[in-house]
Amino acid sequence: MQRLTPTDEGELSALLEEASAAGRPLELIGRGSKRDYGRPQQVEAEISLEAFSGIRFYEPEELVLSAGAATPMAEIESLLDENQQMLAFEPMNMAPLLTGSLAGGRPDSLGGVVACNLCGPRRPKAGAARDHVLGLRGVNGAGACFKTGGRVVKNVTGYDLCKLLSGSLGTLAALTEITVKVLPRPEKTRTLLYFGLDLPRANALFVKAMGSAYDVSAASYLSEVSAGESGVDLVSATKSSVTALRLEGPEPSVTARQAGLTALLSEIGQPGEELHAKRSFSFWREVRDCLPFAQMAGRSIWRLTLPPSRAADLVAALSVAPEDCYLDWGGGLLWLARSAEETEIQELQTALGRVGGFGMLVAADAATRAALPSFIPQASGPTALAARIKEALDPKGILNPGRLYAGI
């Protein structure tokens, strides 16, 4: 397959304009870490965006950073660490999940994070990637260069293309530069671990904790099997399920909120252990990157969002084994490992319809990804809207065709 390597926006624009005129389908590649995310594509050439890399500017005092779309996340995170700052949405590293190896694969990039709208356990509090993007530069499917947003949060010029392009998986435009807001790292982090709860009790604990005034920044439930595979000794040694709640902020605030939260949840259980500093960071990184499922060969991994109070009901309705699921976002996010049989997909769609949930196929082999829809349930309204947006920004449908929806 032909590989095209533009070095600046002018070359990229010319390539996309030519491909659009010829109706030539193309695959956009940043660092290539997410090529197996979304539906397989039938394209004639690939465009590498690796030249669009490097920090453009970073102003720690103003909490803003701009970088080329192909800039490795490791480079950005290293720079932020030097200034005790972070990307508050905790971007997920999908490499272990998509490659089936804890060693991962190609490096993640800022453009890939934004194009997939990734986030981690702090989502209920901080939002996803799209909520932190201040500005973008890119080239659409017709070869037109554009700039949207700016360097400040209070930017209200024009349509909010930043949110529209976040999560589009490269189907609308080739991103070349991204500006994001950053935040100071919390002074203190403390994770409370509750051992041995079944999923309904853990779900009840989540509902109570996340609805309280104690500002819980993350909440997750791991089965005994998943917890046993953790690299954090205080988690793997429990030999039981683990329900985790994270508190962050100034030390006096964290200490006071921990006492209040523990008292509030005392009827459900008492924390059996606390994670501080490095252990807490390592645990939530495992949850963020879906490491409990990273080596499940032959299984399809679904990412389901649903009302937190209905998570246990959905698992019960699907008769899911404890080791085949885990909860994040206080039950608002359910990771699920399933076989790819058509009857199970229909069962999943029916169950999601009952609880008001939504699902996306995240990891599977190429044949499964080609045969199944990326989203369930399939709704005609969003699909038709996606087609209209695609036509407006990529009129000939040349960018990553079919990656999100078949035929779009």
Side-chain angles (χ1 to χ4, degrees):
M1 183 184 297
Q2 184 181 13
R3 185 179 179 87
L4 307 173
T5 56
T7 59
D8 56 38
E9 286 186 357
E11 289 185 13
L12 177 60
S13 174
L15 286 173
L16 294 185
E17 185 176 6
E18 180 182 351
S20 181
R24 186 186 190 193
L26 303 170
E27 179 182 9
L28 298 177
I29 302 173
R31 293 285 170 179
S33 63
K34 301 177 184 61
R35 298 187 74 177
D36 293 330
Y37 182 49
R39 303 182 70 257
Q41 305 162 77
Q42 298 296 320
V43 296
E44 298 179 8
E46 58 188 40
I47 291 186
S48 171
L49 302 174
E50 286 193 24
F52 301 93
S53 181
I55 305 297
R56 302 292 190 260
F57 69 85
Y58 173 41
E59 299 176 1
E61 299 81 5
E62 299 298 327
L63 303 177
V64 61
L65 178 146
S66 181
T71 306
M73 287 301 299
E75 180 179 338
I76 294 172
E77 290 170 349
S78 177
L79 181 60
L80 293 176
D81 283 343
E82 293 175 6
N83 292 277
Q84 302 297 308
Q85 294 183 338
M86 64 176 183
L87 294 172
F89 57 95
E90 291 182 290
M92 176 187 184
N93 176 12
M94 299 186 71
L97 187 62
L98 296 179
T99 62
S101 169
L102 296 180
R106 293 174 177 270
D108 216 350
S109 68
L110 179 61
V113 165
V114 173
C116 296
N117 193 35
L118 298 182
C119 59
R122 203 180 281 110
R123 170 69 184 267
K125 180 178 179 180
R130 66 183 179 187
D131 301 301
H132 296 255
V133 176
L134 301 176
L136 293 172
R137 291 182 63 92
V139 183
N140 70 13
C145 298
F146 65 88
K147 176 183 177 182
T148 182
R151 298 185 181 184
V152 296
V153 175
K154 294 182 179 180
N155 180 69
V156 293
T157 303
Y159 295 106
D160 193 351
L161 290 180
C162 294
K163 285 187 171 60
L164 179 66
L165 294 171
S166 299
S168 62
L169 271 65
T171 60
L172 302 177
L175 303 182
T176 59
E177 184 177 300
I178 300 169
T179 302
V180 294
K181 62 180 176 181
V182 300
L183 290 175
R185 282 213 309 254
E187 174 188 325
K188 179 72 175 180
T189 298
R190 191 170 295 173
T191 297
L192 308 181
L193 303 181
Y194 292 77
F195 301 140
L197 300 183
D198 58 19
L199 197 145
R201 288 177 67 205
N203 207 175
L205 182 143
F206 286 154
V207 171
K208 203 166 185 178
M210 300 300 283
S212 74
Y214 297 112
D215 198 18
V216 177
S217 69
S220 184
Y221 173 85
L222 276 67
S223 70
E224 178 181 348
V225 173
S226 295
E229 295 175 353
S230 172
V232 179
D233 55 355
L234 294 180
V235 175
S236 59
T238 63
K239 308 300 181 184
S240 68
S241 67
V242 172
T243 305
L245 301 174
R246 183 176 66 186
L247 299 171
E248 298 175 308
E251 185 166 1
S253 172
V254 170
T255 300
R257 284 186 284 131
Q258 178 185 355
L261 185 63
T262 301
L264 176 70
L265 303 176
S266 60
E267 291 185 1
I268 300 176
Q270 290 289 335
E273 191 58 81
E274 296 178 9
L275 301 181
H276 297 248
K278 291 184 178 180
R279 280 193 177 102
S280 186
F281 175 81
S282 297
F283 173 78
W284 290 106
R285 182 174 56 188
E286 292 176 353
V287 172
R288 179 198 74 179
D289 296 344
C290 199
L291 292 192
F293 290 170
Q295 295 178 297
M296 281 194 169
R299 307 298 297 276
S300 298
I301 308 300
W302 292 88
R303 181 178 183 271
L304 313 179
T305 55
L306 60 158
S309 62
R310 303 300 303 276
D313 296 337
L314 180 64
V315 171
L318 295 172
S319 301
V320 178
E323 62 270 20
D324 289 341
C325 70
Y326 79 90
L327 299 182
D328 199 0
W329 303 357
L333 175 63
L334 170 65
W335 288 97
L336 190 65
R338 303 283 278 179
S339 69
E341 297 178 9
E342 187 65 28
T343 53
E344 291 204 1
I345 302 305
Q346 294 173 352
E347 179 188 14
L348 183 57
Q349 178 159 324
T350 300
L352 279 173
R354 289 174 179 167
V355 302
F358 174 83
M360 181 175 185
L361 179 63
V362 174
D365 58 58
T368 300
R369 289 186 292 116
L372 298 180
S374 294
F375 303 107
I376 54 173
Q378 286 282 290
S380 58
T383 304
L385 180 59
R388 292 174 60 190
I389 294 172
K390 175 74 168 175
E391 184 179 359
L393 292 176
D394 181 19
K396 294 298 183 65
I398 64 168
L399 299 180
N400 291 355
R403 189 169 186 182
L404 280 174
Y405 298 94
I408 301 179

